[in-house]
Amino acid sequence: MARPVLLMNPNSSEATTRAMVAIAARVLPRVEGWTAPAGPPLLTDPAVLAQAGDLVAAAEVPEGIAAVIVSAFGDPGQAALAARLAVPVVGIGGAAARAAARGGRRFAVVTHTPALVESIDALMRQAAPGEGWLGTFLAEGDPAGLGADPPRLDAALLAAIHHATAAGAEVVIIGGGPLGEAAERLRDLSPCPLVSPIYEAAQEVLAKLCR
């Protein structure tokens, strides 16, 4: 693959962009990062998600990009960006849903942003229609506080994963671009397979580019 893939981080944290690019780079040979020029470092409610979508949709994408990954779990701006670009544009939320639902598996999302539950529900139902979607299970605690304390974040996410599997989930999506590193840390501790949205989006992009 000669041309790079652009990973767009719809929040304003450069550190989060670097972490997400590193995950995508496990699959793709060339990944460049883009960070939202404004907004909060964590997208926690529908209003900021919509604002982030406006920034993504209006962003100037460099020439020579092979594909774009929109790396926030609500896929903000993905559809608008795809409508104006002639390259694949994949959102990590949709990619995760398609991967989780493969083979008719029952799946759930575990995340730490309660205000986005309705948005997540709509995205999962749109991206993976069928009977497999079980809903969102929340890690207990303030999103910003959990994000600043990785051991506490991991413990809260793992507890929610156990709740999801007890409800019948065969696979769990860790729902959030900034939670990508947590998904990797919890993989060997989880009672069921975990879906990493960034990794799955990168796999989907790779498949599209290799056709």
Side-chain angles (χ1 to χ4, degrees):
M1 184 189 304
R3 296 184 296 160
V5 171
L6 182 67
L7 181 142
M8 300 185 73
N9 174 17
N11 74 51
S12 61
S13 169
E14 294 278 1
T16 298
T17 301
R18 290 191 293 271
M20 295 194 293
V21 165
I23 293 170
R26 298 173 192 169
V27 176
L28 300 164
R30 294 184 65 193
V31 185
E32 296 180 359
W34 174 95
T35 305
L42 185 64
L43 307 180
T44 58
D45 63 59
V48 296
L49 191 67
Q51 292 166 6
D54 291 341
L55 290 172
V56 169
E60 185 175 337
V61 175
E63 292 186 11
I65 292 296
V68 175
I69 295 172
V70 177
S71 199
F73 195 64
D75 297 352
Q78 182 268 336
L81 199 61
R84 71 177 179 87
L85 296 182
V87 299
V89 180
V90 175
I92 65 171
R98 290 184 285 272
R102 198 172 294 137
R105 295 184 296 184
R106 296 186 302 276
F107 71 100
V109 165
V110 162
T111 191
H112 66 339
T113 49
L116 293 177
V117 168
E118 288 188 13
S119 300
I120 291 170
D121 184 73
L123 177 59
M124 296 297 103
R125 292 181 186 279
Q126 178 187 25
E131 301 299 319
W133 168 237
L134 297 179
T136 300
F137 293 77
L138 292 168
E140 292 189 9
D142 170 70
L146 289 174
D149 188 344
R152 191 162 142 255
L153 172 65
D154 290 358
L157 291 171
L158 188 58
I161 292 167
H162 279 281
H163 291 152
T165 56
E170 297 171 282
V171 60
V172 166
I173 300 168
I174 301 299
L179 298 181
E181 291 178 305
E184 299 304 315
R185 294 193 299 266
L186 293 172
R187 193 168 299 282
D188 293 337
L189 301 174
S190 173
C192 70
L194 298 182
V195 170
S196 169
I198 300 166
Y199 180 86
E200 295 300 340
Q203 291 280 17
E204 198 167 293
V205 164
L206 184 64
K208 289 176 181 292
L209 296 179
C210 291
R211 285 176 184 166

